[in-house]
Amino acid sequence: MRAAALLALCLAAPVAAQNVVTSPAPDRVGVTIYRDLSRGDQRPDRNWLNGYALISETRTIAIPAGESELRFEGVASGIIPQSAIIGGIPEGLVERNRDALLLSAGSLVDRALGQRVNLRRTDKATGKVSSEDAVVRSGSDGGVVLQTASGIEALRCTGLNETLLYDRVPAGLSARPTLSVKVRARQPLSATVTLSYLASGFDWQADYVAILSPDERTLQLQAWLTLASTDDTSFVGATTQAVAGRVNREAAEVPPAQAPELRLQCWPQETTSDVGSIAPTSAFDGVPPPPPPPPPAPAAMMSREIVVTGSRMTAERERLGDLQLYRIPEPVTVAARAQKQVGLLDQPSVRVQPVYRFAIDAGETAAESAGQLVLRSTNREAEGLGLPLPAGNLVLFRDGATRPLLIGEATVRDAAVGEKVEMVVSEATGVRARVTSNGKDGRAITLSNDRPVPVNAEVEFSQGGEVRIAGARLVRRDGKLFWLTSVPANGTATLTYRVRKP
């Protein structure tokens, strides 16, 4: 009897509601962006960024006694939840969850299944407004079905303007990406909580701008650090860094956040183009709920939404083991779906060696081609460099009579201090090569130069047979055979050779 009475008492006792504590935004945030190394020399695709970021947040949270759910709103929409590290909670965590369902017209209906809502109708002819209670019996997938005192009906199938009103936002829905955790505390406390996690949808790039001197011997070289994000969350006043180097990282599959639309199935007095997604309002706190985040834009649209901002700040370089860390000295905003640039380096006088390069098939008997302008240097202080150069794109100008003129673009590869730097710039139509045949296996290559200054040239012989030259010396470099020569101003240089086919 006593056991039965105790059991009845326990069943009759009310179950204590779980506390929900929401942190709407971080007090401080740091963003460290890592490059997508798989793209090689290609520029980041601003519609599909495959780099990632380490987000570090600090939040002050009042934790009540007992078990509570802490909701971290405003995290990155590309958060990788399994990477999250949460510190500063004295008694630890019970569990953690990423809330992937965002507030939208469809998710409101889906979360209201079996619940009572208010159905408001407006007669288009008289303007009369009526309302009644209804119970949601079917969700957004195949049309919304409601049960009222009059029976079962489908939303928007009466010919009247209809909308649904909710007295509250259903639990578990948020207008912004959210990470939630469950904690226990013996007594109420105020905790400074640190949240760190990885997020996809970020990348960065070095963009170089250079002006070539008239004698083609020096460069004025500047570089910008371009940060890009396709995330839906903006990080305002963030301490921001970029990391260069190869970091071993395993791929992680993360389902995207969902904000389902509400699709209605009938339009008795309208056309299909007139009926779209219905946006229910809410009476929660007397104001409508915030709109859901926009879905990912198509590629053509997103390219127009990317915003580029520039700054005269210069990133400070630090060594991080085998990696290079570029720290932006002032807090900046890493905006949602945007691109930002800050200064990376400014080298006023970099010594370069211009070379006009040709690639010749040794078996060719008649051919003509333009030279490729290549600028070479060595990454050391004596040449005006001497600092790590992250990979990026170079836009090259030459001093003109009144203003600099664009002469080409190139790719800069990662170059450590002491390594060679090579920039393949543009095709030079004024420096050309012409191959002729003077016998069964005899050949001649003539380099012409219409410039008023002499130029250095190199000819790479590839495939087609073994090249034999009398009275001239060829250079072998990286397993390839080259003829190196100087072509006089407004003059020519000729090499005769024989080819023995394999």
Side-chain angles (χ1 to χ4, degrees), residues 155-471:
L155 185 66
R156 281 279 186 97
C157 289
T158 62
L160 302 176
N161 287 333
E162 298 175 337
T163 188
L164 300 179
L165 285 86
Y166 304 79
D167 61 354
R168 60 186 177 83
V169 176
L173 291 185
S174 175
R176 299 187 295 162
T178 301
L179 181 73
S180 64
V181 298
K182 288 185 179 179
V183 299
R184 292 193 187 101
R186 296 188 181 91
Q187 58 186 9
L189 55 91
S190 178
T192 300
V193 178
T194 59
L195 169 62
S196 298
Y197 58 89
L198 298 178
S200 59
F202 295 83
D203 206 347
W204 71 271
Q205 168 89 10
D207 286 290
Y208 297 85
V209 179
I211 299 178
L212 184 62
S213 63
D215 63 359
E216 299 184 350
R217 298 295 176 178
T218 58
L219 284 178
Q220 298 177 42
L221 182 64
Q222 291 183 323
W224 292 87
L225 181 63
T226 303
L227 310 173
S229 166
T230 54
D231 201 85
D232 296 325
T233 301
S234 292
F235 300 95
V236 180
T239 56
T240 307
Q241 306 170 132
V243 173
R246 184 169 296 277
V247 178
N248 185 39
R249 176 172 174 260
E250 300 297 329
E253 293 293 332
V254 180
Q258 300 176 3
E261 296 181 1
L262 182 57
R263 301 187 181 278
L264 303 176
Q265 300 298 317
C266 64
W267 37 87
Q269 294 185 7
E270 299 174 296
T271 66
T272 56
S273 61
D274 293 329
V275 179
S277 297
I278 184 172
T281 57
S282 168
F284 182 63
D285 288 341
V287 295
M301 182 185 298
M302 187 174 295
S303 64
R304 296 193 296 269
E305 293 178 350
I306 293 289
V307 177
V308 180
T309 59
S311 169
R312 289 186 177 273
M313 291 182 294
T314 301
E316 300 170 350
R317 182 176 57 86
E318 302 175 16
R319 190 163 187 85
L320 187 66
D322 293 331
L323 307 174
Q324 292 292 328
L325 178 70
Y326 297 94
R327 185 189 306 276
I328 299 175
E330 299 177 18
V332 298
T333 295
V334 181
R337 300 180 178 273
Q339 184 170 294
K340 178 184 292 291
Q341 290 185 313
V342 296
L344 182 62
L345 59 87
D346 187 356
Q347 303 299 112
S349 181
V350 178
R351 294 172 56 187
V352 293
Q353 298 174 349
V355 176
Y356 291 85
R357 176 189 292 170
F358 299 87
I360 301 297
D361 184 339
E364 193 73 59
T365 58
E368 188 169 350
S369 61
Q372 191 84 32
L373 175 60
V374 179
L375 300 179
R376 290 182 177 146
S377 186
T378 304
N379 190 2
R380 57 190 181 191
E381 291 185 10
E383 308 299 323
L385 290 172
L387 69 169
L389 298 178
N393 290 81
L394 171 77
V395 180
L396 184 65
F397 297 84
R398 189 196 300 274
D399 278 330
T402 58
R403 61 183 181 273
L405 300 175
L406 177 67
I407 63 171
E409 298 185 4
T411 298
V412 178
R413 299 180 181 273
D414 284 312
V417 175
E419 288 188 331
K420 293 181 179 180
V421 180
E422 184 174 278
M423 294 163 277
V424 181
V425 179
S426 61
E427 189 176 84
T429 57
V431 182
R432 305 187 65 82
R434 183 167 178 262
V435 177
T436 57
S437 173
N438 56 8
K440 181 178 179 181
D441 57 359
R443 306 284 189 275
I445 179 170
T446 301
L447 305 180
S448 60
N449 172 25
D450 69 357
R451 304 196 54 204
V453 294
V455 299
N456 293 323
E458 67 175 29
V459 177
E460 174 193 339
F461 292 98
S462 61
Q463 56 189 8
E466 180 183 349
V467 176
R468 292 186 174 184
I469 298 176

